[in-house]
Amino acid sequence: MEEKKKKKVNDGMALRSYLRSLPVCESPKMARKLADECKVPLYTFNNWRSGLVRIPELAKDKIEEVIGVTLFDR
């Protein structure tokens, strides 16, 4: 159980770190684009980013495909 929680938090931190590395004006646009590409509402994406809920594996693949960077440890 603790392992899953740790992975969830680490994935959220990786996503959050990537979005923070973008220029201020591009970060919200990229968050909306990623939410649209993953076909989830923005509030679900924000829950992923904050580490409240786990990011599904298919969504991780889609996020990495869109941004062109490997973010998540697998």
Side-chain angles (χ1 to χ4, degrees), residues 12-41:
M13 285 178 50
L15 183 57
R16 192 168 47 250
S17 296
Y18 171 75
L19 290 171
R20 285 184 178 168
S21 71
L22 298 174
V24 173
C25 60
E26 289 182 26
S27 183
K29 292 176 187 173
M30 180 58 79
R32 278 193 293 281
K33 180 178 178 180
L34 291 173
D36 290 342
E37 290 290 328
C38 292
K39 296 179 175 49
V40 297

Side-chain angles (χ1 to χ4, degrees), residues 35 39-46:
K39 296 179 175 49
V40 297
L42 190 56
Y43 66 84
T44 300
F45 182 81
N46 288 333

